[in-house]
Amino acid sequence: SWIVTRSMRPVVAALLPALALAYTPSSFLGQNTNGRAMTRRTAAPSALVMREGPIGVGVIGAGRIGVVHLEALASCPDARPVIISNPTVSKAEAAAKKFNVPNWTGDDMEVINHPDVEAVWICSPSSFHADQIKACAAAGKHVFCEKPIATDLPETIEAINACKVAHPAASPTCMERLVPTDGARPLPATDHGCVRYPATPDPATPARQIADVKLMTALQRRFDPNFARVREAITNNEIGSPIVAKLCSRDPAPPPFSYVEGSGGIFKDMAVHDLDMSRFLMGEEPEAILAYGACMIDKEIEKLPGAEAYDTASVIIKYPGGKHAFIDVCRQAPYGYDQRAEVLGTKGMIQTDNMYPNTARVYTNSFTGNADMPYDFFMSRYKEAYIRESEAFCKALVNDEPSPCSGEV
C-alpha cells in the first residue's frame, strides 16, 4: 500500500508517537506491596523548586526499557534515583535492589508525588504516557518520556502543552499553541484511569502560572557518537550542503505477535527513529513522504490492521530544495542488529558502519571478516547513547537550559 502526503509537519508529528520498547503488560494499574489494586490519585500541585546537588529522579516502569534507563541514571553524576514503580511490584523491587534505589512501589502516582522526586522518567506502556506526563506537569515535576509522548497527535499536543501550563484548565487556548494546520481541535474530557482533565476551563479552578516543566523525548540515536558525528559533519560544512541521506534499521528477529498487535505498526514502532534522524540530519521539516510496507517474514501478522501487518518497509522523504532521505527498515536481519547512516553532500560524503562489540577480524584460508557478529539488540548497541541522553537532560535541569530533545523539535 502506498501513502503520499503533503504538508508533512503534522503527519511526521503524528508518526513520531511510537511505541515504548519494553514488552510490558497492556494494563498499568498500580498495586501495593500486598498485591491489592490501588486507587488512582491525582498529582499533588507543587511549586517547581530545584534543590542543590543531584536531581532526585523517579522511574515509572521496571520493564526492559525501564531497567535500561535506570542503569543509565546510575552512571549519571547529576541524577539520584529515589523510587521506581511497576504494576508487578517484585520487578520494581528487583530493579531497586540491583541499582541501590531506596524505594519501590506498584503505584506510578507514588513516584510522581514523592517529595524527593524532581524529575520523572516515564518508561511505562505507550498508552499511559500522555496521562502520566500531564500528572507530572500538574505536580511540577520535570519529565523524561520514552517515545512516544502519546499514541495519537491530539494527545501528543495535549501532553506537550500540559508541560507549559500547570493544568490544561488554566488556559482555554493552551491547545492553540501547537494546533496543526489541518484544524485539529482539543480532545473532550477523558478518563483513562488516571487524572481527569476538562476540555474547557473550570471557573472554580484558579488560574496557574506557567509550570516551566521541562519535557524530553527519549530518541537516543541523537546522542549516539556515530550519528552525532554525521550531524557534526553537516553542521560544520565538512561535506557541504546535504543532497541525499540514507538510513538503515534492521532488527535481529521479529517481535512476538502480542507486541506487534496494538503497536501502531512498523512506521510508528520502528521507523520512528529513522524519521526523527532524517529530520535531525537534514535540519528541516519534510515537504512530502512516500511509504511502502509489506509482510515478508512473519505471515502471522498479516491479519493485523494497517501498518501492523508489515514487517518490512521503505520510506522516501522530500525536503525543501529537492533534498531526499531514504529509509529502509526490516524486523529481521539474521546477521544481527543493523544500524547505518550515510549522507551525500555537495563537497563529499559521510557514512557510518554497523557496530560490532569489537574490531577484531579473522583471516584464514576459508574466511576473512569480523571475528564476532554485530550487537544483538538495541540495549547493547546504544548503551552509551542512553547514558549520554540522561546526562544531557540532567545537565539541562541543573543549569536551567532548554530540553535537548523536546516534544516539539
Side-chain angles (χ1 to χ4, degrees):
S1 64
W2 291 87
I3 307 167
V4 183
T5 311
R6 297 194 177 274
S7 301
M8 282 307 302
R9 185 163 186 164
V11 174
V12 173
L15 285 174
L16 282 178
L19 141 92
L21 299 177
Y23 295 114
T24 46
S26 60
S27 174
F28 207 73
L29 292 177
Q31 294 180 326
N32 64 13
T33 53
N34 295 321
R36 296 191 300 272
M38 297 190 72
T39 303
R40 282 281 175 178
R41 299 190 303 278
T42 58
S46 170
L48 201 62
V49 178
M50 298 300 293
R51 303 177 179 88
E52 295 294 328
I55 304 296
V57 173
V59 179
I60 297 175
R64 186 175 61 180
I65 196 64
V67 172
V68 167
H69 284 300
L70 189 57
E71 182 179 8
L73 286 165
S75 303
C76 180
D78 288 327
R80 177 175 59 90
V82 172
I83 184 172
I84 183 170
S85 71
N86 199 80
T88 304
V89 181
S90 60
K91 294 183 70 174
E93 181 181 6
K97 290 181 176 179
K98 181 177 181 179
F99 295 101
N100 298 315
V101 180
N103 304 290
W104 60 88
T105 178
D107 184 5
D108 56 348
M109 295 309 300
E110 289 187 11
V111 173
I112 295 171
N113 289 329
H114 195 288
D116 293 334
V117 168
E118 299 166 273
V120 177
W121 261 238
I122 296 176
C123 308
S124 56
S126 304
S127 59
F128 294 91
H129 289 184
D131 281 336
Q132 288 166 343
I133 289 171
K134 290 183 285 189
C136 290
K141 307 297 175 77
H142 299 294
V143 185
F144 177 102
C145 186
E146 250 302 325
K147 56 90 178 165
I149 290 174
T151 53
D152 61 37
L153 181 57
E155 275 200 319
T156 300
I157 295 170
E158 196 174 53
I160 290 171
N161 281 325
C163 294
K164 296 182 176 182
V165 289
H167 194 292
S171 171
T173 60
C174 66
M175 285 294 294
E176 294 176 4
R177 299 179 187 176
L178 284 173
V179 167
T181 55
D182 62 0
R185 292 291 181 266
L187 292 173
T190 57
D191 190 348
H192 300 295
C194 192
V195 185
R196 187 175 179 84
Y197 289 95
T200 57
D202 181 356
T205 303
R208 297 176 62 104
Q209 299 299 313
I210 296 297
D212 292 324
V213 168
K214 298 186 193 298
L215 171 64
M216 177 159 173
T217 310
L219 290 165
Q220 86 281 355
R221 290 187 196 178
R222 293 190 183 198
F223 300 89
D224 175 71
N226 294 281
F227 288 105
R229 184 62 181 89
V230 176
R231 164 84 172 192
E232 181 183 335
I234 296 170
T235 56
N236 290 345
N237 198 34
E238 294 178 54
I239 62 169
S241 299
I243 300 172
V244 175
K246 295 181 180 179
L247 296 160
C248 169
S249 291
R250 298 167 188 165
D251 286 346
F257 180 89
S258 59
Y259 176 81
V260 179
E261 186 178 23
S263 71
I266 196 168
F267 299 110
K268 291 182 181 180
D269 167 26
M270 186 175 176
V272 54
H273 285 290
D274 304 278
L275 290 164
D276 175 70
M277 185 51 57
S278 75
R279 297 170 60 243
F280 184 63
L281 295 178
M282 290 298 190
E284 296 186 273
E285 296 297 338
E287 291 183 340
I289 186 167
L290 172 66
Y292 171 77
C295 183
M296 303 297 296
I297 298 158
D298 184 6
K299 297 301 181 180
E300 184 183 9
I301 67 171
E302 279 190 308
K303 60 187 177 185
L304 294 174
E308 290 184 4
Y310 305 151
D311 53 29
T312 307
S314 298
V315 182
I316 303 174
I317 306 172
K318 179 179 179 293
Y319 284 91
K323 294 180 289 187
H324 285 72
F326 297 88
I327 295 170
D328 86 74
V329 292
C330 186
R331 292 197 186 275
Q332 178 174 286
Y335 55 88
Y337 195 50
D338 192 356
Q339 304 280 290
R340 287 172 282 138
E342 176 186 302
V343 178
L344 173 66
T346 54
K347 293 166 53 178
M349 181 188 76
I350 185 167
Q351 63 179 195
T352 64
D353 291 329
N354 199 24
M355 290 282 290
Y356 288 76
N358 56 66
T359 60
R361 292 174 64 85
V362 174
Y363 298 86
T364 70
N365 61 357
S366 60
F367 174 79
T368 298
N370 292 87
D372 296 301
M373 298 286 281
Y375 282 110
D376 59 355
F377 213 28
F378 70 91
M379 292 180 289
S380 51
R381 166 63 180 84
Y382 287 109
K383 185 174 182 177
E384 183 177 356
Y386 284 117
I387 295 173
R388 286 188 173 200
E389 69 174 353
S390 290
E391 290 176 340
F393 189 50
C394 288
K395 177 177 178 290
L397 297 181
V398 170
N399 298 323
D400 193 22
E401 298 170 350
S403 172
C405 186
S406 72
E408 299 175 71
V409 295

